[in-house]
Amino acid sequence: MTTVTTRTVTYPADGLTMVGHLALPAGSGRRPAVLIGPEGPGLNDFQRRRADALAELGYVALAFDINGGRWFTDPEEMLARVTPLLSTPRRMRDIGHAALGILHAEPRTDPDRIAAIGYGTGGAIALELGRDGVDLRAIGTVNALTTGRPGEAARIRCPVWAGVGSEDPIMPPAQREAFAAEIQDAGVDWRLVLYGGAVHAFHHPPVDHPVVPGVAHHPRHAQRAWRDVVDLLTECLPLAE
């Protein structure tokens, strides 16, 4: 296994002190980098391990924070935090740009080779960075088929991959169609994968607290979605360039 170095990084965003997890691959040279955005409850060990796994592959990886170091176990508290956030593109972009600034400040990061992936709210933030014209090599989202303001999808400068459960009540067929229409009309190189029988947050292991309705883990599709994300990075953010 490749030696990975990790550290906690704190930085301001959205009026909070964010607490991210930075994972660095072995070596000392510059490497391509990946932002990893968490789902609505916040950053936890699951997403930290995702950053570590990408660093083992050779990427600089930052699992960024969206809730000021909090992991919400109460669904109502979580919704009270993320619902207004999801309706305010500027706030999402500011959170994304703050995390991007941490990556750019890391000497191991190749600033010309950065991708953004995210889950749920973190995926919506990744998409908003694209709509804001950020120079990314790829955007990957799971359970985040959010649409933007008219015309802004044309500013996305990289391929977009999106995955969603076929039975996801939070991202239903109408939302999938709206997302597909927006991004197709913008001329973006895009893919949408439906994971049959899966619902919302199917990628995340079971938790020991209440969740919003329509959330359940799907072990096989969780593994498949992760492989699809890694394949996206392999294609668009190759380790040797």
Side-chain angles (χ1 to χ4, degrees), residues 86 119-124 127 141-147 162-179 192-194 198-202 213-215:
L86 287 168
Y119 298 81
T121 302
L127 286 167
T141 75
V142 181
N143 305 316
L145 304 180
T146 54
T147 52
V164 67
S166 68
E167 309 307 305
D168 186 340
I170 298 172
M171 294 288 158
Q175 183 64 33
R176 298 200 300 258
E177 292 168 7
F179 173 81
L192 174 61
V193 177
L194 286 180
V199 294
H200 197 69
F202 68 88
V215 166

Side-chain angles (χ1 to χ4, degrees), residues 86-90 92-93 124 127-132 144-156 175 178-183 186:
L86 287 168
S87 66
T88 315
R90 185 69 266 162
M92 287 193 285
R93 293 176 186 186
L127 286 167
E128 283 305 317
L129 285 176
R131 294 186 181 108
D132 204 31
L145 304 180
T146 54
T147 52
R149 291 177 288 201
E152 289 192 338
R155 302 174 70 186
I156 296 175
Q175 183 64 33
F179 173 81
E182 176 199 35
I183 208 159

Side-chain angles (χ1 to χ4, degrees), residues 1 8 29 37-38 42 45-46 52 55 72 81 101 104 112 133-134 136 139 152 154 163 201 207 217 229 234 241:
M1 181 178 294
T8 298
D45 284 343
F46 172 72
D52 295 348
F72 288 103
R81 162 67 182 163
H104 277 287
D112 297 321
V134 172
L136 299 169
I139 295 171
E152 289 192 338
V207 294
H217 183 52
V229 167
T234 300
E241 184 170 299

Side-chain angles (χ1 to χ4, degrees), residues 1-64:
M1 181 178 294
T2 303
T3 301
V4 169
T5 302
T6 66
R7 68 173 185 266
T8 298
V9 291
T10 59
Y11 56 96
D14 200 41
L16 301 169
T17 298
M18 300 300 183
V19 184
H21 177 82
L22 182 67
L24 303 176
S28 59
R30 285 190 168 183
R31 308 298 295 163
V34 184
L35 286 174
I36 306 171
E39 46 277 292
L43 180 60
N44 67 357
D45 284 343
F46 172 72
Q47 302 297 1
R48 295 185 187 99
R49 289 194 297 270
R50 289 303 197 211
D52 295 348
L54 290 180
E56 287 173 6
L57 292 176
Y59 297 101
V60 173
L62 174 64
F64 66 86

Side-chain angles (χ1 to χ4, degrees), residues 73-85:
T73 59
D74 183 329
E76 291 187 2
E77 278 192 290
M78 182 272 292
L79 290 173
R81 162 67 182 163
V82 303
T83 299
L85 179 61

